[in-house]
Amino acid sequence: MIINFSRLSIFVNHNLYYTITKLQQFHFTALITFHLVMVIYKLIKKDAYQIFTTSCSPHQQPSQSKFASSIDKLFGLKFDTALHHTKFRTLQKIYIKERRLSSSLRNKFVEQHWSDTFYDCDMAHSVLIDVNLSDNEEEDSKETSSPAPKRFRRPILSVGKQQQNKRLDSLYNDMLTTAEIEGISPIQIAAMLLSRSSYSKNKEIAEIAESIVHDKFCESKVNQKLSVQSAALLMSTLEIGKIPYIKMRVIFKSELGSAIVPRYELVSDFNTSITPTCQALSEQFAGVRYPLLPAITMTCQRQLSVLDLEVAEVEGLEVVFKTGFDGSGSHNIFHQKGSAETNNITMGMICPLTVKSKERILWKQPRPQSANTHRPIVLQLGKETVESLKIYGPITREMADIEETPINLIVKGHEVKVSVKIRITALDRKAADAVTGLGGAFCDLCYMSPEEAHDVAELEDELTMSRTLEGTKELVATLVNSSGEVPTKPGDWYTRFGVMRAPTVEKEVESTQGLHLLLRTTDWLLKLCYHEIACVTHWSETVSMRDLQFIKQAKSLVQSHLKDKTGLKVAFPDSAGKGGTTTSGNVCRRLLFDKETRYFLV
């Protein structure tokens, strides 16, 4: 190919913008770009800017830097840098290869697209004079296009991120150009290449790539993270603290390349936002508590927010809670200043049971006995004594006030009044006796005596649950002496009806002792088995009774039988040293609710 540079200069001066536009539009890069573009860019540096501005009106004249920048953007290459770039040989190879294009193709392109802008078509042909390469020229071109000696290059995976990006620049630019031409995203181009290379090797990767191509695989799911609320639930369920959570997040980030759980600070802030402010108990009690009204309000708001309620259902809403407390012992005493000298802790809890709307149940607690569904309201150091449990007097008074005044909540964008009912049911026998003052009563709900409870004729009549908190207070007022105590003596059942002291609560207690119902039922069933095997017909067991040795032998027989057949250790002393027996809740569930295990007991 022979290029007439003198005529080319004239051509460029008169047809600069049109030439560049046509080159960009028809992608005639291989034939013209290498030589023509270099000449254009050199002319721009010298006098093309002056030639261009003379043909424009004064208010349309761009600055020289903006003019040069527009040329760079059209071609996507900084030509002054490219002249000394390492890709010079690559451009040279492409040029020599494309020189072998037929003259008819070039002539056709010139005649169709440039003849209208040239002074005549002959001038266009004189700019580009196509001649066949001679043998010598072909040999020269082979020598020119011979590859340069390869330098040693480190593998791309062993270099830094900046060097990797530099090596992939050309590929990335090609992807951007192809994506713009095809009207799709660069991610879809990459997915097509991934699908093509992986189809025969890994079908799973190929399917993922195809889903990305067809927009069925959301890009955000690749780096999807747990929400802060889900992360807080994860911490609560796994019962982990700050340090294990941070270690888990680091492991996720190192193995998966992304920390799929949020930062601990975000989770901590979320937990703080849904937790009332903790307060210390009064001076006579050792412990802390949460104000009851904020705890009830937050629980109701969060519970109603997850329900898909209709607008008509937000009227007449009522949330029913249960509450109670229990103690645990054998806790370690920390060797630090200010530690309480006690191994016992008492905790009060609340648990939402149902959500109603005009007597229609909208939601019911699926796990009313699970620790995960309860929220703490009191944490107190010390044993369950009458004095320590007096703290529940003002707390139950708060409960009564909350029941009288509905709370205001935002539900479905509307401010509604929600009624709250709190039932005191989660108490064991010891706690019930302490707060109700009915330590000598046979029943906390009625006035029936032990003898009447064993009278079949009496039981055939309708049982009336007539004992109330106000009735107990009135009875105490008539029985209390000058020292403030209720005197007791044998045979005075019909005088004090089991009342031992004044109640410490300010709200009705539904004392049915459902807290340990499963444990006591299992104890009753085992005792029935002992007495049946020992042929002892009376229920009471005393140290002086002569049949006690037979009951002990029957107990040992039942224990060994269950241990051999099922592996369960029933009614053995707890080897952990925390008191009690091995008859735990899990043992009771397996003993009573597993058909095969229950068969061995029967």
Side-chain angles (χ1 to χ4, degrees):
M1 172 180 285
I2 300 173
I3 298 180
N4 191 326
F5 286 98
S6 61
R7 288 183 176 272
L8 181 61
S9 300
I10 299 173
F11 160 68
V12 169
N13 289 339
H14 289 82
N15 302 276
L16 181 64
Y17 251 79
Y18 191 85
T19 303
I20 295 173
T21 305
K22 287 299 181 182
L23 286 174
Q24 183 70 11
Q25 179 178 356
F26 293 98
H27 306 287
F28 211 74
T29 56
L31 178 63
I32 303 298
T33 302
F34 186 74
H35 280 280
L36 181 59
V37 169
M38 298 305 161
V39 174
I40 292 172
Y41 202 81
K42 288 179 179 179
L43 289 173
I44 290 174
K45 287 187 175 181
K46 295 180 180 179
D47 58 353
Y49 175 72
Q50 287 77 12
I51 296 173
F52 179 78
T53 52
T54 55
S55 62
C56 300
S57 58
H59 67 277
Q60 293 179 336
Q61 294 179 1
S63 63
Q64 185 169 1
S65 61
K66 186 177 293 186
F67 181 83
S69 175
S70 64
I71 301 299
D72 292 340
K73 289 181 180 178
L74 283 173
F75 286 94
L77 182 64
K78 297 284 186 180
F79 296 115
D80 54 346
T81 305
L83 288 171
H84 307 286
H85 200 268
T86 57
K87 295 181 180 180
F88 180 85
R89 289 187 178 274
T90 304
L91 293 172
Q92 194 176 35
K93 292 178 186 177
I94 296 174
Y95 167 66
I96 293 174
K97 180 179 179 181
E98 296 294 340
R99 284 175 63 186
R100 297 180 177 84
L101 289 174
S102 63
S103 60
S104 60
L105 178 62
R106 282 195 300 276
N107 293 338
K108 185 177 180 180
F109 177 85
V110 172
E111 291 171 1
Q112 288 182 354
H113 303 293
W114 285 357
S115 59
D116 56 340
T117 61
F118 283 68
Y119 297 114
D120 53 53
C121 192
D122 293 337
M123 180 179 176
H125 284 283
S126 65
V127 174
L128 301 172
I129 303 174
D130 182 61
V131 295
N132 295 326
L133 291 174
S134 64
D135 296 337
N136 295 333
E137 287 176 329
E138 290 183 0
E139 292 176 0
D140 294 339
S141 66
K142 290 181 181 178
E143 292 178 1
T144 308
S145 61
S146 60
K150 292 185 177 180
R151 296 184 304 164
F152 173 75
R153 299 183 70 185
R154 294 169 57 191
I156 191 169
L157 295 179
S158 63
V159 299
K161 191 68 176 178
Q162 186 176 1
Q163 183 65 23
Q164 290 179 356
N165 294 337
K166 188 176 181 180
R167 293 190 188 182
L168 297 176
D169 274 345
S170 59
L171 176 61
Y172 181 69
N173 292 331
D174 292 342
M175 286 178 57
L176 293 178
T177 304
T178 306
E180 184 177 358
I181 295 172
E182 300 295 338
I184 58 178
S185 67
I187 294 178
Q188 288 175 301
I189 295 290
M192 287 180 177
L193 295 176
L194 180 62
S195 175
R196 179 178 177 180
S197 62
S198 304
Y199 190 79
S200 60
K201 300 177 182 178
N202 193 322
K203 298 287 186 182
E204 185 177 353
I205 295 179
E207 290 177 358
I208 295 175
E210 285 295 326
S211 63
I212 296 175
V213 172
H214 299 291
D215 288 335
K216 295 180 180 179
F217 188 86
C218 180
E219 182 186 359
S220 62
K221 287 186 176 295
V222 177
N223 296 320
Q224 188 174 13
K225 295 183 179 181
L226 283 179
S227 64
V228 177
Q229 185 171 349
S230 300
L233 176 62
L234 181 66
M235 289 188 64
S236 176
T237 304
L238 298 180
E239 298 180 354
I240 58 177
K242 178 180 179 180
I243 301 302
Y245 180 84
I246 294 176
K247 290 181 178 179
M248 179 178 65
R249 187 173 185 271
V250 171
I251 292 173
F252 283 152
K253 190 171 183 179
S254 61
E255 294 294 331
L256 304 179
S258 174
I260 63 174
V261 293
R263 293 184 294 108
Y264 173 78
E265 291 76 12
L266 299 177
V267 181
S268 178
D269 292 342
F270 172 77
N271 289 334
T272 303
S273 67
I274 62 172
T275 305
T277 304
C278 188
Q279 299 177 352
L281 297 179
S282 55
E283 294 182 359
Q284 58 180 341
F285 305 106
V288 292
R289 62 164 297 193
Y290 291 116
L292 191 61
L293 181 58
I296 292 288
T297 303
M298 289 184 177
T299 304
C300 291
Q301 183 68 70
R302 288 180 52 77
Q303 185 61 56
L304 294 176
S305 64
V306 299
L307 298 179
D308 188 15
L309 301 178
E310 300 294 336
V311 178
E313 294 175 338
V314 300
E315 298 294 335
L317 285 175
E318 180 184 83
V319 182
V320 180
F321 287 82
K322 74 168 182 176
T323 186
F325 54 88
D326 195 16
S328 60
S330 302
H331 294 279
N332 293 328
I333 299 177
F334 292 99
H335 301 286
Q336 61 185 25
K337 184 178 180 181
S339 295
E341 296 297 323
T342 178
N343 299 96
N344 300 85
I345 295 177
T346 304
M347 178 176 286
M349 310 285 286
I350 57 172
C351 173
L353 294 179
T354 58
V355 176
K356 299 180 181 180
S357 176
K358 299 178 181 178
E359 300 301 326
R360 188 168 68 89
I361 297 179
L362 304 177
W363 173 82
K364 188 175 182 179
Q365 177 64 259
R367 303 175 63 191
Q369 303 295 349
S370 173
N372 293 330
T373 60
H374 288 64
R375 306 198 73 177
I377 55 174
V378 177
L379 182 64
Q380 185 180 10
L381 299 177
K383 293 185 177 180
E384 297 173 80
T385 62
V386 176
E387 293 298 323
S388 65
L389 296 181
K390 287 182 178 179
I391 184 61
Y392 291 94
I395 293 177
T396 53
R397 194 177 303 115
E398 288 182 41
M399 294 179 182
D401 295 338
I402 292 174
E403 289 183 336
E404 293 178 359
T405 307
I407 59 178
N408 296 321
L409 298 177
I410 303 298
V411 181
K412 291 290 184 180
H414 303 280
E415 184 175 351
V416 297
K417 293 185 179 296
V418 180
S419 300
V420 177
K421 300 296 181 184
I422 305 174
R423 302 172 57 186
I424 306 177
T425 58
L427 301 174
D428 58 9
R429 182 70 263 169
K430 180 180 179 182
D433 290 344
V435 298
T436 61
L438 302 176
F442 182 74
C443 177
D444 295 345
L445 304 177
C446 68
Y447 291 98
M448 184 173 289
S449 65
E451 292 77 13
E452 292 173 341
H454 289 83
D455 189 351
V456 178
E458 191 75 26
L459 295 176
E460 289 178 351
D461 296 335
E462 182 179 355
L463 296 177
T464 303
M465 303 301 175
S466 56
R467 195 190 289 266
T468 63
L469 179 64
E470 292 299 325
T472 302
K473 289 183 177 181
E474 293 176 359
L475 185 59
V476 169
T478 61
L479 297 175
V480 68
N481 55 23
S482 57
S483 59
E485 298 178 353
V486 176
T488 62
K489 61 181 179 179
D492 62 349
W493 170 262
Y494 292 101
T495 302
R496 56 184 181 89
F497 295 99
V499 175
M500 302 292 292
R501 66 186 65 84
T504 59
V505 293
E506 299 294 334
K507 190 179 180 303
E508 291 289 348
V509 177
E510 301 177 30
S511 182
T512 54
Q513 284 74 55
L515 183 63
H516 294 157
L517 180 62
L518 184 62
L519 298 176
R520 301 292 77 81
T521 301
T522 305
D523 291 340
W524 176 86
L525 181 60
L526 291 173
K527 186 176 180 179
L528 186 64
C529 293
Y530 304 156
H531 282 241
E532 180 69 21
I533 295 174
C535 299
V536 178
T537 56
H538 51 273
W539 189 252
S540 60
E541 298 176 3
T542 60
V543 179
S544 60
M545 62 181 297
R546 60 179 183 177
D547 295 331
L548 184 60
Q549 57 178 332
F550 303 114
I551 296 176
K552 290 183 178 180
Q553 293 176 0
K555 180 178 180 180
S556 300
L557 181 63
V558 172
Q559 288 175 328
S560 60
H561 176 74
L562 289 176
K563 185 177 181 181
D564 294 339
K565 298 296 183 181
T566 65
L568 294 177
K569 297 181 66 176
V570 178
F572 286 96
D574 187 10
S575 59
K578 295 184 178 181
T581 66
T582 57
T583 312
S584 62
N586 292 330
V587 172
C588 294
R589 292 184 187 92
R590 184 177 172 187
L591 189 63
L592 297 181
F593 302 140
D594 185 78
K595 184 177 180 180
E596 185 178 352
T597 306
R598 190 169 62 247
Y599 169 78
F600 289 113
L601 179 62
V602 174

